[in-house]
Each structure stands twice: as C-alpha cells, then as structure tokens.
C-alpha cells in the first residue's frame, strides 16, 4: 500500500527532452532514480501555480517501467487501468477532466524491450512538452492500478479509470457513426484491416471498429512504426487480401498509416484530403474550418486546399506541440505531419484512430455521391483537382553524430548570406536552386522564436529538399532528407521515379556520403 518516502536524487546528463519528450535506452532509465529525477523535473517546471493541488493523468503503452510518482503536493493522480492510456486518449482525459497535465510512459514507435527504448512524454492541456531534468528531493507513494476506482492516501488520491471510455465518448461526437454503419451494411464486401489491435490501440480499436461499427475482428501482428518498411506484414496482407482500407497505428496510438491494395496515401496527402472533405462529411467540422497547418517538411498539398477554401495555412517546425497554441487561439482545425501524424483540435495530440475514422467517414460519404468510390479513386480525384505533390523521405539512422553535425553546419553556412552563392542559381540534375534558408518559426500567438528547424533548398519550380536531424532518435544521429515536387499533369508516376533527380540533387548539395560515409538510406518512406 502507500509508502511515502523522501529521496534525494542527483543530476543526470542528457535529460533534455527531444521532439517528443525523453527517449533513451531502457538501460539508461534503469539507473537509480533516473526516471524519478526526470519526473521531478516535470513537476518543478509546471507552470504557475505549480504542482500544489494539481491533478495529473498517468498512462502508457504498457511497456515495463518502474516509475514511481513524486509527491510535490499533487492532490490527485488519474491512472489508466493496468497503466494503459494511448497518447491521444490521455490528451482526451486531461481535457475532459481538466487535469493540469499528463505523463505518458512510452517510447512511441521506437522498438521496446530490455535492449531497446523507453520514454516519457509530458503533456499539458494544450499539449506542450515542458519537462526539464532537475536535482530535487521528492516523495513517493505506491498504488495499484489494476482495478477501476479511487484509492485515498495521505495528502493525495489515485483514481484508476477505464482507459477507453472518455476517448470513445469524445470520438463518437466527432464522426458520423450512423453513416459509417449504414455504409458497412450496404457494402458487405468492403474490407477494413486495422493493425494495432495488439498494441495499446487494441482495446480502442476493438471497442470502436468492432463493437460500435460492427466490422469483423481482424488481427495482424503488431507493427512497431506505421510506415511501408516497418509495417510490411500489414502491407503484404492488404495486397494479398485486396483490402479496401488498411490502417496501422504505432505503440502509443498517435501515428497512423493509410493504404489500400492499390494505393499508399502519403501522410501529407492524407491530411490534405481530410481537410478537403471535412466540412461536408465530418459532423465535427460542419460549422466550418478555422485554419489548416502542417509541419515544415510536410508536403504543401494542404496549402492548396487552404487556398481554395480561403483558410489560413500555417507552417510550423517538426513537433506536434507547435500546433497547440494555434488551436487554443481558435485558428486551427486540422493539421498533420509527414511523419505519419494527423489530427485536429478535438485534442492536443495527433490521433491514429481519428485518422482511420476520418477516412472511413469520407469513404462512406463519397460513396453516397459516387458508388464505388475507393481510396484510390478519391485520391486520384483530389490530384486532378489540385495537382500532385510527390513526396518522399530518406532516413539515415544511427549515423555518427560528428559527421552528421558537420554536414548540417555546412548546410547552415550555405543558408547564410554569402554562403548561398555556392548553390543559389546552380542547377542540380535539371533543378535550379532559387533559395536556401534555415527554417525559423515565429509563433504568431506567444511570439516565441524557434531557430535552426531545418535547412530548406527551394528550386525554381517550387520543388523542395529539406535537411534536418531527428529529435527522436535515442543514440547516434538520424539524418532526414525530405524531397518534394509538385506536378499538375503527370499524376500517376511512381513517387521514387518522379523524385529520383531531386534525390540525386539533394545528395550532391549536402555531400551526405562524404560526411556520413553512408551510400544508402536505412528507411525510405
Ligand atoms: C514525434 C513527434 C512528431 C514528429 C516526429 C518525428 O512523433 O510527436 O511531431 O514529427 O516525432 O520527429 P523527428 O524529430 O524524429 O523527425
Ligand atoms: Zn507515437
């Protein structure tokens, strides 16, 4: 039962959170009081009035962890049963129950297990990750979390909740469940396959797709990260079984991937398509959209939709946290990132199940007007209307930090006045460089400035190549190169073919091989 002890911890190197909280090898977390020290940092950094009397939500993807909860005068902990809460569900719980913040124990899509990664994310009501590691004395208390109900301890209480209920209640107010249900009964041959039923999204997926919407239960092996490489089992099944809508989500349920047996929807296209249909098809958006947004490396497809609908479009740095301020200010409804994150202002996180439901809702809606509308026909119609933003990303994982940093420093130098002469005006594989810069974001709401968010090379025909280092890798550096080309006429090319000259140009401009020794990327998405 409850034991409250005072423990003093020591400072640790490298507890500064990355793109999405703290992510390290499990062995690092196993150092004595490492986790407690970081969690203490979260509480110490809580905005005024601080942790005194606060309510904090705790959940995760069920990876083994030994986190104990520091005291700090916190009045209440709300915990998902068995320690389970998907990242989007935690955000829903924080907002519904007006908690002050939430701690999610997960390394998201990074591989789990003793040899691999563990992580801690901290979210406030508007989604910002503010945690900073600090040396502090703190208390701890032990509570069990396998039975729903409230337990009282000296000075604080712990409420264990059904991890699915709040989320399902919210999601049912967003989408047209009746329309999806009638579409399913009228199209008995429509095949949905959702990969994630074994992960933390399992209980959510089952409750929503199977119990609420009546789709048959279909299980495939759990996917570590939803992309074409890591979700290969899903991709194989989707092709072999002629699946109409295949979807995957990651370990903590915030990412998604949308495919069909004859099409792969890039995340950049997915968010643009959802924005295109939202007001007509999805009840939550019937009152109109407030604005649209994407992260900088995400393709510009959604900008075209914003322009057509006369909406504000924002370009923010990589990291979901940048969308929160815009949402709180009532200027943003739908946003997404090329890194398989899509979502809206219903919560302050990206939301994998939300994206799958958005697609189901849109397919059901499109079939009312045009029977037989499929993922492919819907995307193709979109490309005919707006043109196609071909997009690919090359990842070079676990590169030696020194070479990667030097490569980025050189690119930054080129992006500065004077340096640009080396590339601006030059032609690489048929593409002439118009501009090079180092992306800087000026938050229009709180006026904070985020510098060094990625080097952009923009060509005369609006094609772009972008270079940045990942903020979510747990060791070494991950170099990401994002390549985009807009085409109004040729709409059915293979993306890798369409982008090959630009990829070669990017490698030449960056001298990647010379700096990193890498000839080929680890992952292409
Ligand atoms: C996490 C963040 C996203 C980000 C992604 C990739 O999922 O929540 O906002 O786009 O990681 O980040 P990275 O720094 O590794 O490119
Ligand atoms: Zn995740």
């Amino acid at each position: 039962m409850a034991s409250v002890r005072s423990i003093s911890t020591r400072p640790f190197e490298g507890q500064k959170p990355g793109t999405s909280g703290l992510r390290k090898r499990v062995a690092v977390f196993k150092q004595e009081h490492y986790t407690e020290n970081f969690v203490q940092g979260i509480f110490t950094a809580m905005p005024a009035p601080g942790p005194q009397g606060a309510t904090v939500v705790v959940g995760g993807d069920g990876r083994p962890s030994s986190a104990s909860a520091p005291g700090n005068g916190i009045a209440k902990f709300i915990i998902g049963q068995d320690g389970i809460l998907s990242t989007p569900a935690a955000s829903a719980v924080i907002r519904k129950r007006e908690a002050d913040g939430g701690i999610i124990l997960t390394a998201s899509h990074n591989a789990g297990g003793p040899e691999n990664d563990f992580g801690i994310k901290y979210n406030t009501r508007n989604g910002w990750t503010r945690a900073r590691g600090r040396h502090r004395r703190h208390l701890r208390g032990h509570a069990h979390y396998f039975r729903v109900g409230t337990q009282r301890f000296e000075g604080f209480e712990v409420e264990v909740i059904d991890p699915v209920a709040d989320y399902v209640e919210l999601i049912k107010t967003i989408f047209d469940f009746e329309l999806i249900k009638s579409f399913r009964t009228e199209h008995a041959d429509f095949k949905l396959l959702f990969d994630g039923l074994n992960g933390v999204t399992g209980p959510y997926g089952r409750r929503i797709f199977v119990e609420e919407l009546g789709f048959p239960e279909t299980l495939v092996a759990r996917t570590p990260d939803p992309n074409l490489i890591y979700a290969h089992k899903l991709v194989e099944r989707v092709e072999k079984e002629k699946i109409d809508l295949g979807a995957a989500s990651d370990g903590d349920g915030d990412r998604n991937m949308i495919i069909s047996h004859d099409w792969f929807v890039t995340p950049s296209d997915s968010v643009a398509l959802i924005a295109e249909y939202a007001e007509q098809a999805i009840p939550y958006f019937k009152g109109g959209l407030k604005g649209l947004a994407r992260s900088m490396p995400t393709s510009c497809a959604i900008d075209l939709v914003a322009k057509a609908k006369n909406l504000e479009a924002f370009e923010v740095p990589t990291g979901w946290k940048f969308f929160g301020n815009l949402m709180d200010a009532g200027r943003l409804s739908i946003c997404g990132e090329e890194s398989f994150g899509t979502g809206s202002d219903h919560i302050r996180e990206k939301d994998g199940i939300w994206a799958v439901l958005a697609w189901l809702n849109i397919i059901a809606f499109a079939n009312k007007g045009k029977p037989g509308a499929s993922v492919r026909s819907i995307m193709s119609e979109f490309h005919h209307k707006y043109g196609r933003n071909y997009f690919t990303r090359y990842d070079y994982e676990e590169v030696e930090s020194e070479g990667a940093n030097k490569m980025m420093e050189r690119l930054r130098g080129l992006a500065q006045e004077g340096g640009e002469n080396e590339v601006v005006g030059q032609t690489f594989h048929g593409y002439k460089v118009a501009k090079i810069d180092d992306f800087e974001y000026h938050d229009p709401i709180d006026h904070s400035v985020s510098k060094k968010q990625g080097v952009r090379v923009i060509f005369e025909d609006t094609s772009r190549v972008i270079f940045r280092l990942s903020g979510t890798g747990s060791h070494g550096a991950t170099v990401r190169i994002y390549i985009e080309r807009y085409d109004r006429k040729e709409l059915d090319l293979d993306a890798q073919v369409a982008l090959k000259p630009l990829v070669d140009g990017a490698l030449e401009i960056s001298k990647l091989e010379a700096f990193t020794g890498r000839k080929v990327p680890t992952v292409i998405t």
Side-chain angles (χ1 to χ4, degrees):
M1 281 315 275
S3 73
V4 180
R5 289 193 286 144
S6 181
I7 294 163
S8 92
T9 60
R10 62 186 173 86
F12 290 91
E13 275 299 313
Q15 284 202 337
K16 189 168 172 270
T19 313
S20 190
L22 186 67
R23 220 171 276 179
K24 300 278 178 200
R25 291 292 197 221
V26 168
V28 174
F29 274 98
K30 282 204 167 142
Q31 297 175 80
E32 197 182 21
H33 306 319
Y34 184 91
T35 307
E36 288 84 346
N37 194 67
F38 182 72
V39 173
Q40 178 59 48
I42 291 172
F43 294 143
T44 308
M46 264 170 104
Q52 193 67 37
T55 297
V56 174
V57 175
V58 186
D61 57 9
R63 290 177 200 235
S65 73
S66 64
S68 48
N72 290 284
I74 287 170
K76 182 170 183 177
F77 290 95
I78 298 173
I79 301 182
Q81 191 177 12
D82 298 324
I84 295 283
L85 266 182
S86 74
T87 296
S91 181
V93 171
I94 291 167
R95 292 166 62 76
K96 179 181 169 193
R97 295 170 189 253
E98 300 191 341
D100 299 277
I103 293 171
I104 300 144
L105 305 169
T106 175
S108 193
H109 57 284
N110 295 28
E115 301 302 315
N116 286 306
D117 291 355
F118 185 67
I120 302 179
K121 294 188 192 182
Y122 181 65
N123 292 69
T124 60
R125 249 176 270 170
N126 90 344
W128 277 83
T129 309
R130 295 177 197 257
R132 261 173 277 134
R134 289 269 186 88
H135 169 77
R136 254 306 170 87
R137 289 174 68 80
H138 68 280
L139 304 173
R140 66 181 189 178
H142 289 283
H144 67 74
Y145 49 78
F146 36 83
R147 237 193 348 256
V148 170
T150 301
Q151 302 157 60
R152 283 193 180 77
F153 301 107
E154 222 185 297
F156 68 101
E157 66 178 36
V158 173
E159 183 184 354
V160 177
I161 60 165
D162 171 349
V164 184
D166 288 2
Y167 180 78
V168 172
E169 183 189 296
L170 173 66
I171 215 81
K172 283 177 79 173
T173 66
I174 295 175
F175 296 105
D176 196 337
F177 272 56
E178 290 314 311
L179 178 68
I180 300 173
K181 269 194 255 180
S182 59
F183 170 75
R184 182 191 58 74
T185 41
E186 283 158 27
H187 298 79
D189 54 340
F190 181 88
K191 287 191 193 161
L192 168 74
L193 185 61
F194 178 64
D195 183 348
L197 294 181
N198 294 336
V200 73
T201 39
Y204 299 88
R206 194 164 289 118
R207 183 91 62 100
I208 294 165
F209 298 117
V210 181
E211 288 171 30
E212 295 283 344
L213 294 171
F215 285 98
E217 176 136 357
T218 29
L219 288 170
V220 288
R222 181 179 170 185
T223 295
D225 193 16
N227 65 40
L228 289 176
I229 306 291
Y230 294 132
H232 59 93
K233 281 205 183 111
L234 173 75
V235 176
E236 277 159 30
R237 269 193 72 175
V238 165
E239 280 167 15
K240 212 184 324 159
E241 297 172 30
K242 292 248 175 292
I243 299 293
D244 296 291
L245 179 62
S249 82
D250 71 337
D252 63 336
D254 54 358
R255 295 188 175 195
N256 78 89
M257 179 177 79
I258 303 289
I259 52 172
S260 64
H261 61 91
D262 53 0
W263 200 256
F264 162 65
V265 185
T266 68
S268 301
D269 269 355
S270 177
V271 67
L273 189 280
I274 293 171
E276 167 74 0
Y277 275 90
E279 287 162 283
Q280 312 164 61
I282 301 173
Y284 181 82
F285 300 111
K286 288 245 156 98
L289 296 174
K290 290 166 185 149
L292 303 175
R294 60 172 170 83
S295 66
M296 184 273 280
T298 303
S299 98
C300 302
I302 194 171
D303 299 26
L304 303 174
V305 177
K307 199 163 169 225
K309 295 187 185 294
N310 208 9
L311 295 167
E312 262 193 303
F314 300 93
E315 180 177 42
V316 309
T318 295
W320 200 262
K321 59 192 177 194
F322 293 98
F323 297 126
N325 276 354
L326 298 166
M327 289 175 177
D328 285 353
R331 286 169 69 177
L332 174 57
S333 294
I334 295 174
C335 53
E337 294 187 274
E338 48 66 41
S339 55
F340 298 85
T342 326
S344 90
D345 63 350
H346 67 293
I347 53 171
R348 294 297 179 268
E349 278 289 352
K350 51 189 177 287
D351 189 342
I353 286 185
W354 178 93
V356 183
L357 283 169
W359 269 92
L360 265 179
N361 197 149
I362 288 167
I363 292 170
F365 175 83
N367 268 272
K368 282 201 305 188
K370 260 192 205 145
S374 65
V375 168
R376 181 167 190 170
S377 74
I378 290 169
M379 267 332 302
S380 156
E381 199 176 298
F382 180 88
H383 290 148
H384 275 95
K385 178 167 176 189
Y386 289 104
R388 181 165 169 201
N389 293 74
Y390 286 98
F391 181 88
T392 191
R393 187 177 96 186
Y394 276 44
D395 291 341
Y396 300 81
E397 293 172 343
E398 296 186 24
V399 169
E400 234 190 289
S401 298
E402 206 192 318
N405 288 331
K406 284 203 173 131
M407 186 191 94
M408 286 307 295
E409 272 161 36
R410 178 177 161 273
L411 287 168
R412 286 212 175 91
L414 293 181
Q416 265 152 28
E417 242 175 289
E420 78 239 294
N421 298 336
E422 246 185 83
V423 284
V424 174
Q426 309 284 330
T427 300
F428 297 86
H429 297 264
Y431 290 86
K432 191 168 179 190
V433 178
K435 189 181 158 187
I436 175 167
D437 69 4
D438 191 354
F439 182 62
E440 228 177 73
Y441 179 62
H442 296 253
D443 188 308
I445 312 301
D446 68 13
H447 305 293
S448 60
V449 179
S450 307
K451 296 189 173 170
K452 298 190 176 181
Q453 297 298 318
V455 172
R456 295 192 285 196
V457 180
I458 300 169
F459 298 87
E460 278 187 343
D461 73 336
T462 74
S463 292
R464 310 190 302 167
V465 300
I466 292 147
F467 305 89
R468 59 179 284 281
L469 298 184
S470 158
T472 56
S474 58
H475 60 304
T478 296
V479 178
R480 301 203 197 284
I481 308 182
Y482 311 80
I483 301 111
E484 175 183 359
R485 171 165 90 78
Y486 177 68
D487 203 318
R488 195 90 195 72
K489 293 189 213 92
E490 290 264 29
L491 304 173
D492 279 316
L493 299 176
D494 177 281
Q496 293 308 321
V497 174
L499 296 167
K500 180 76 172 57
L502 270 172
V503 170
D504 292 341
L507 295 174
E508 221 162 90
I509 292 170
S510 62
K511 304 192 196 300
L512 178 119
E513 192 183 340
F515 279 104
T516 66
R518 293 294 176 89
K519 284 196 195 309
V520 287
T522 334
V523 180
I524 298 179
T525 49

